[in-house]
Amino acid sequence: MAAASQPVLALSGGVGGAKLALGLADVLAPGQLHVLTNTGDDFRHLGLDICPDIDTLLYTLSGRANQTLGWGLEGETWQTMTALEELGGETWFRLGDRDLATHLWRTRQLKSGMRLSAFTAALAVRLGIASHIHPMTDDPVRTMVHTDRGDLPFQHYFVRDRCEPPVTGFSFDGISAAHPNREVMRLLQRKAFGRVVVCPSNPFVSVDPILQLPGLWLALRESPAPVVVVSPIVAGLAIKGPAAKMMAEMGMGVSALDVARHYCQRYPGLMDCFVIDQSDATLAAEIGELGVTVAVTSTVMKSRADKRALARFTLQLSGS
Ligand code: FO1
């Protein structure tokens, strides 16, 4: 178990990752959780800077998340979208009236020269969040989804086209020139983290953009903190989102084993421990042959108690 005083670093995309981040925030001492968040889904829309995964974390960790939608704010209203529709404006990406304030304020502050990391930290404080939410980079990185209908910016693939176009691969525009989050790199260099938890987020569009930032995964591998990865695939299905569909379309098997293979092949030596759901227990031996410790538990997080239980589980595992 990480020493009680040592901070924990979680890598997360949006909805699925935020659930475990909430569990970790609950069971760690205030301020001990650092979440490094995907920004490959970010885009400019209607002139606004939209950062969906950062906002999902901000809203989830502050208790404001819309539980029904999985994104946006609880108790949201949609007057602006209705008015925009009347004007013949673009409404495929739905921005709630209250959520719009976040995008308006962020756009204004970034335009006046504030870094995304500084803005996010300030917003987290305003929302009463003790954990640290770090954008993976302050530089623009944009996930492109390669499909048989051409290359699509992530939100066009995900929201506008409802993940329908069959996927052939991914790329991350701007990644080779991007610098990983400075504060997280500084903490890694100081060997400050007691543990790294890769949340059950989509490996291809949520975790890969983070790990492929220049120098980041090697810094994680060199850090003494055990790296624990939670499988987003349970019994051959993604708990949320298109991960399983993407794997099938790219000709991969669709199982926790295939997720483990992806991480081991793309980032050799990074992962110490792989957490799978009890329904996948029969895969444990084969995953173990990849050279990682396999841990089996219930990974489906329906209640707050489930989130806390999985968080505690990931914190007490010893590395390989
Ligand atoms: N997801 C949708 O499926 N439809 C939407 O209209 C939509 C709007 C939206 C607005 C703000 C925001 O922060 C997130 C929003 N999302 C929407 C979710 C988001 O696009 C995805 O869940 C993530 O990018 C995937 O992690």
Side-chain angles (χ1 to χ4, degrees):
M1 174 124 181
S5 57
Q6 271 189 296
V8 169
L9 178 66
L11 271 51
S12 177
V15 183
K19 286 185 185 178
L20 183 54
L22 182 60
L24 287 164
D26 277 353
V27 303
L28 288 164
Q32 291 300 82
L33 176 65
H34 292 251
V35 188
L36 187 59
T37 310
N38 174 42
T39 58
D41 297 8
D42 295 9
F43 76 137
R44 175 158 290 201
H45 184 60
L46 303 173
L48 301 173
D49 291 312
I50 318 272
C51 303
D53 289 355
I54 290 177
D55 292 347
T56 297
L57 278 155
L58 286 168
Y59 297 161
T60 301
L61 294 188
S62 66
R64 290 169 168 81
N66 186 313
Q67 306 293 333
T68 316
L69 292 174
W71 46 268
L73 284 161
E74 198 176 42
E76 190 55 280
T77 55
W78 305 93
Q79 303 248 24
T80 310
M81 283 293 107
T82 306
L84 188 60
E85 197 160 13
E86 283 165 16
L87 299 178
E90 250 183 276
T91 55
W92 60 269
F93 195 80
R94 300 191 55 74
L95 296 167
D97 299 327
R98 293 179 61 77
D99 185 37
L100 266 168
T102 306
H103 312 305
L104 286 168
W105 186 228
R106 176 167 44 223
T107 304
R108 156 75 163 68
Q109 294 298 78
L110 297 186
K111 205 166 185 182
S112 63
M114 197 170 188
R115 285 182 292 114
L116 180 61
S117 50
F119 176 78
T120 306
L123 210 58
V125 170
R126 294 291 301 197
L127 295 177
I129 300 170
S131 305
H132 307 274
I133 301 174
H134 307 282
M136 66 181 195
T137 178
D138 284 323
D139 303 311
V141 174
R142 297 294 171 257
T143 297
M144 295 298 294
V145 184
H146 304 291
T147 77
D148 65 3
R149 296 183 208 165
D151 296 349
L152 297 169
F154 181 78
Q155 297 299 342
H156 290 73
Y157 161 79
F158 189 87
V159 177
R160 191 195 64 187
D161 297 349
R162 297 179 299 278
C163 307
E164 281 166 13
V167 167
T168 54
F170 308 94
S171 57
F172 310 112
D173 284 2
I175 200 157
S176 54
H179 301 275
N181 182 282
R182 291 187 213 174
E183 173 71 356
V184 168
M185 289 305 271
R186 192 179 62 80
L187 291 166
L188 278 170
Q189 272 142 20
R190 283 175 163 195
K191 306 190 190 318
F193 295 115
R195 178 160 306 250
V196 177
V197 178
V198 179
C199 292
S201 296
N202 186 308
F204 313 104
V205 293
S206 296
V207 183
D208 280 352
I210 304 177
L211 292 177
Q212 290 179 28
L213 282 163
L216 185 66
W217 81 265
L218 289 172
L220 290 171
R221 188 174 75 175
E222 274 155 34
S223 133
V227 176
V228 176
V229 180
V230 181
S231 176
I233 297 286
V234 172
L237 299 169
I239 297 291
K240 181 113 179 69
K245 180 177 180 283
M246 289 171 167
M247 291 172 87
E249 289 165 354
M250 289 191 294
M252 298 172 68
V254 186
S255 72
L257 170 63
D258 296 282
V259 174
R261 280 197 184 119
H262 169 77
Y263 283 120
C264 289
Q265 283 164 7
R266 186 65 187 76
Y267 313 102
L270 173 67
M271 176 163 64
D272 294 293
C273 189
F274 192 61
V275 180
I276 60 173
D277 188 73
Q278 55 209 7
S279 61
D280 289 321
T282 52
L283 299 174
E286 217 177 328
I287 297 172
E289 285 167 21
L290 299 171
V292 294
T293 302
V294 185
V296 183
T297 188
S298 174
T299 64
V300 181
M301 294 173 279
K302 288 199 177 120
S303 65
R304 189 84 174 233
D306 295 339
K307 295 176 181 77
R308 290 179 185 152
L310 183 58
R312 280 197 196 92
F313 188 82
T314 63
L315 296 177
Q316 53 81 36
L317 292 167
S318 55
S320 52

